[in-house]
Amino acid sequence: MDEPLMVQARGLRKTFMVGRQPVEAVRNVSLDVPAGGLLALLGPNGAGKSTTMRMLTTLLPPTAGSVHVAGIDAVAEPALARRQIGYVGQKHAAGENYRIRDELITQARLFGLSKAVARERADEALEMLGIASLGKRAPGTLSGGQRRRVDIAFGLVHRPRVLFLDEPTTGLDPHSRAGVWEQIERLRREHDMTVLLTTHYLDEVERAAGQIVIVDAGEVVAQGSAAELRGRVPGAASLDDVFIALTGRRLQATGEAYSHA
Amino acid sequence: MRKFLRDVGTVFAREIRPELRSPIGLLFAMIQPVLFLVLFGPMLSGADLTEASSSWSWFVPGILVMMCLFGPLGAGHSLMVELSGGQMERFLATPVNRAALVVGRTAKDLVTLLLQAVLIMAVAVPLGLDLHLPGAVAALALLAVLGVGLSGFSYLLAIAALPSGNLFWIVTQVFVFPIILLSGVLLPIEAGPGWLQTISTVNPGRYIVDAARVLFGGELLTAEVAQGLFAAALLAAGGLWLATRAMRRGV
Ligand SMILES: Nc1ncnc2c1ncn2[C@@H]1O[C@H](COP(=O)(O)OP(=O)(O)OP(=O)(O)O)[C@@H](O)[C@H]1O
Ligand SMILES: [Mg+2]
C-alpha cells in the first residue's frame, strides 16, 4: 500500500489570459502515479490534458497547486525535476533542418550524457521504434507516422525515470499504434519507467491496464481502472460509453457557453 | 559554469552542423552585400562624396554593419519557427541551461557573420579597398560585438512576437531601413539637412558605422572608435540579457 509516488499533483490550476479574458484551462486536477505505474489522461478536445502535461513537465508554471516528480518539487525546483523526465509533446520535436540521429544525440547530450553514450542511446532509440533506417533523414521527408515515432524517441533517448507522452499514438495506423504500446510496455518492464500519457483511443487504454483519469473542462470527473470506471456507469459496455456518459453532458454545456460568448 | 559552457557547445554544434553540411545558404546571404559592393560602390568613388582618402574604406564598413542588420537581426526567424513547432518545447523540457539556448545560437550567428565579413573584404580588395590589417581586425571585433547584440535582440523579438510573429516582421523588415539610412551606410549623413543629422544622433548604428570607418581608415584609438564600441557593447549586453530573461520565463 505504501508504494512510493513518482508523480504527484495536487489541486493544479491554470488560468491563461487571452487579452483581458481569463481562460480557465485547468481548474482542479490532482493525480498520483506510483513508481513503475501507468496513468492515462482522457478527456475531450480542450479538456485541459496538454495544459496539465505541460505543468507536470515544468513547461508551464501552475496558477495554483503543486507538482512533485520523483519526490522533487517541480514548481520550486524545475531544473532538478527536468533531469528525471522525458517529454513527448503534441507537436513535432525534430527540427526541420537537422538530421534525426543528430537531433537525438543533441537531446541526450543535454541530459549530460557523453558523446559516445549519447550516440549509443540514439541508435538504440531509433532501433527500438523501428526507424533505424531513418536516422540520416531530415524530418520533412518522413511520413506522419514515422515522424510521430521520431517524436517518441526524443522522450526516451536518455532513459528518464518518468515518461510523459501527449497523444503519442494519434495519427498512427493500428499496426504502429500496437508497436508504440509494445515499446511502452517494454520500457516499463525493462527500465521500470513510469508512464503518464494522454490519448483519445480508449481501446488501447483498456488493454494497457493502468490507472485512468478522465478530465473535462479542466476538472477530474472520474478516475480508476477501466473495470472500475465501467462499473460506475450502469449498462456501459465499453470505455467509450463511460467516457461519453461522464463527459457528454458537460461537453454540450461547454458548447453552449461558447456559442453565447 | 561548466554545465553552461557544455550546453552552449551542444547548442552551437546543433546549429552549425546544417550550415557546414550545405554552406550554400551562407553564400546566398552574401548576394545582397556583394551586389551593393559591385553595383553601388563604384558610383560612390565616382561621385567623390566622402572625406575619406578612399571611398572604399568608407563604403565597406557600412556594408558590413548592414550585413549585421540582415544576418544576426534576422536570426530569430529560425527560433520563431521552432517556438511555434514543438522543438523549443522539447528543449525547454530538458535540463539545458536557458541562457545556453540563446548563447549557443548567438555563437553560431557570430561565426557565420565573421566568415561572411571576411569574404566581403576579400571581394572588396580587388575592387580597390585599401586594407589596413590591424584596423580591419579591430573592425571585425566591433562587428562581432554588434552581431551578438543584434542576434540577442532578434531572439528576444522572436519570443515577444508570438503567436502571430507580426512584431518580428515589422522590426526586421520595416524598421531596419531607417536604421540603415540614418547610419549613413549608403551616403554620408553629413551631406544631409540638419534635422536628419539630429535624428541620426539617437541611432546607435551611426556611431558603430562611424567607428568602423575610422578603423578601416587605419586609426585605432579615437573617440569615434570608443563611442562605437560603447554603443555595440551596450546592444550586446542588453540583447543577451533580455533574450536570456525571456527564455527563462518559459515560452
Ligand atoms: N497558451 C494558451 N493560451 C490561452 N488558452 C490556452 C492556451 N493553451 C491552452 N489554452 C486553452 O485551454 C484549454 C485546454 O487546452 P489543452 O490544450 O490543454 O486541451 P487538450 O485537452 O490537450 O485538448 P486536445 O485533446 O485538443 O489536445 C482550451 O480551451 C485551450 O483553448
Ligand atoms: Mg492536447
Side-chain angles (χ1 to χ4, degrees):
Chain A
M1 218 51 256
D2 256 19
E3 287 166 301
L5 288 178
M6 189 55 82
V7 182
Q8 182 190 50
R10 287 289 171 270
L12 278 184
R13 198 146 66 77
K14 183 73 200 181
T15 308
F16 291 107
M17 292 305 288
V18 179
R20 295 223 189 110
Q21 280 285 335
V23 176
E24 295 192 301
V26 174
R27 292 172 210 255
N28 183 15
V29 169
S30 299
L31 48 83
D32 290 335
V33 196
L38 178 120
L39 185 143
L41 213 51
L42 300 182
N45 291 132
K49 301 181 298 294
S50 296
T51 306
T52 301
M53 292 290 259
R54 298 183 66 216
M55 287 192 282
L56 295 175
T57 52
T58 76
L59 289 167
L60 267 184
T63 306
S66 68
V67 178
H68 285 83
V69 176
I72 299 160
D73 182 337
V75 180
E77 304 269 13
L80 278 183
R82 285 177 195 128
R83 296 182 178 282
Q84 311 296 330
I85 67 178
Y87 169 72
V88 177
Q90 215 172 331
K91 293 184 189 167
H92 287 306
E96 294 300 333
N97 300 323
Y98 310 85
R99 292 184 180 180
I100 285 147
R101 184 170 176 270
D102 292 343
E103 284 282 80
L104 285 169
I105 294 170
T106 300
Q107 177 83 352
R109 295 277 291 152
L110 294 177
F111 279 91
L113 300 181
S114 72
K115 271 186 193 155
V117 176
R119 277 192 209 113
E120 224 170 81
R121 294 283 175 85
D123 291 332
E124 258 177 50
L126 288 167
E127 186 73 42
M128 201 169 183
L129 290 157
I131 44 177
S133 61
L134 305 179
K136 290 222 163 116
R137 299 247 217 122
T141 66
L142 305 183
S143 79
Q146 289 170 331
R147 269 198 94 144
R148 202 58 190 140
R149 278 188 272 173
V150 170
D151 296 337
I152 295 171
F154 282 102
L156 49 82
V157 66
H158 54 291
R159 285 196 206 143
R161 292 174 77 186
V162 197
L163 181 56
F164 293 86
L165 303 155
D166 199 354
E167 298 194 20
T169 53
T170 299
L172 299 188
D173 67 41
H175 183 257
S176 302
R177 271 170 63 192
V180 166
W181 273 100
E182 217 170 273
Q183 294 317 323
I184 292 175
E185 288 308 327
R186 190 171 140 199
L187 288 167
R188 292 183 59 203
R189 211 171 46 237
E190 290 176 11
H191 300 288
D192 201 28
M193 220 177 260
T194 306
V195 178
L196 207 156
L197 56 85
T198 72
T199 180
H200 292 289
Y201 301 114
L202 303 182
D203 54 321
E204 49 185 44
V205 181
E206 186 124 41
R207 250 176 286 134
Q211 279 289 303
I212 298 170
V213 171
I214 300 183
V215 288
D216 189 19
E219 278 174 311
V220 175
V221 294
Q223 54 183 313
S225 67
E228 281 165 4
L229 289 175
R230 250 187 316 204
R232 288 238 200 139
V233 178
S238 68
L239 210 48
D240 281 27
D241 296 338
V242 176
F243 182 83
I244 291 165
L246 289 174
T247 62
R249 196 177 47 79
R250 285 162 158 272
L251 199 57
Q252 234 173 1
T254 335
E256 268 168 25
Y258 183 71
S259 64
H260 285 302
Chain B
M1 192 64 195
R2 257 191 70 193
K3 175 172 187 307
F4 169 72
L5 291 177
R6 198 192 127 114
D7 285 351
V8 169
T10 305
V11 174
F12 173 77
R14 174 195 191 239
E15 298 303 331
I16 200 87
R17 208 173 287 124
E19 302 286 350
L20 297 178
R21 198 164 283 145
S22 63
I24 199 79
L26 212 141
L27 294 176
F28 194 74
M30 289 183 55
I31 292 178
Q32 193 193 32
V34 167
L35 284 180
F36 267 106
L37 277 188
V38 178
L39 301 181
F40 191 88
M43 292 191 225
L44 275 182
S45 29
D48 196 22
L49 288 165
T50 65
E51 296 168 22
S53 53
S54 147
S55 65
W56 286 108
S57 62
W58 183 89
F59 187 54
V60 170
I63 290 301
L64 292 177
V65 169
M66 191 173 80
M67 257 171 54
C68 287
L69 286 163
F70 289 115
L73 191 61
H77 178 248
S78 67
L79 180 69
M80 214 160 62
V81 170
E82 297 212 312
L83 281 167
S84 26
Q87 295 86 4
M88 267 335 269
E89 194 177 73
R90 190 242 301 172
F91 281 125
L92 290 171
T94 74
V96 65
N97 182 296
R98 271 43 187 165
L101 284 175
V102 173
V103 176
R105 281 176 181 258
T106 302
K108 174 247 163 183
D109 302 335
L110 186 60
V111 169
T112 44
L113 174 72
L114 288 179
L115 217 74
Q116 288 168 337
V118 169
L119 287 173
I120 287 290
M121 286 195 226
V123 173
V125 169
L127 286 173
L129 173 71
D130 199 3
L131 200 65
H132 301 270
L133 207 53
V137 171
L140 278 183
L142 174 71
L143 217 59
V145 178
L146 174 66
V148 166
L150 291 177
S151 120
F153 273 108
S154 188
Y155 294 127
L156 173 71
L157 266 178
I159 295 171
L162 287 173
S164 68
N166 289 341
L167 180 69
F168 185 83
W169 297 118
I170 290 171
V171 174
T172 57
Q173 304 289 309
V174 181
F175 208 59
V176 290
F177 285 101
I179 292 186
I180 289 173
L181 295 173
L182 291 176
S183 299
V185 164
L186 299 176
L187 292 168
I189 294 276
E190 294 76 24
W195 63 270
L196 251 176
Q197 301 200 27
T198 311
I199 300 179
S200 78
T201 55
V202 295
N203 176 12
R206 175 175 180 181
Y207 300 102
I208 294 163
V209 170
D210 283 349
R213 283 180 179 149
V214 170
L215 290 171
F216 265 80
E219 284 180 276
L220 289 178
L221 302 168
T222 71
E224 277 111 329
V225 171
Q227 272 180 356
L229 197 60
F230 181 71
L234 218 59
L235 282 177
L240 275 186
W241 181 64
L242 290 172
T244 304
R245 200 181 63 150
M247 191 68 89
R248 255 197 206 112
R249 284 190 174 168
V251 275

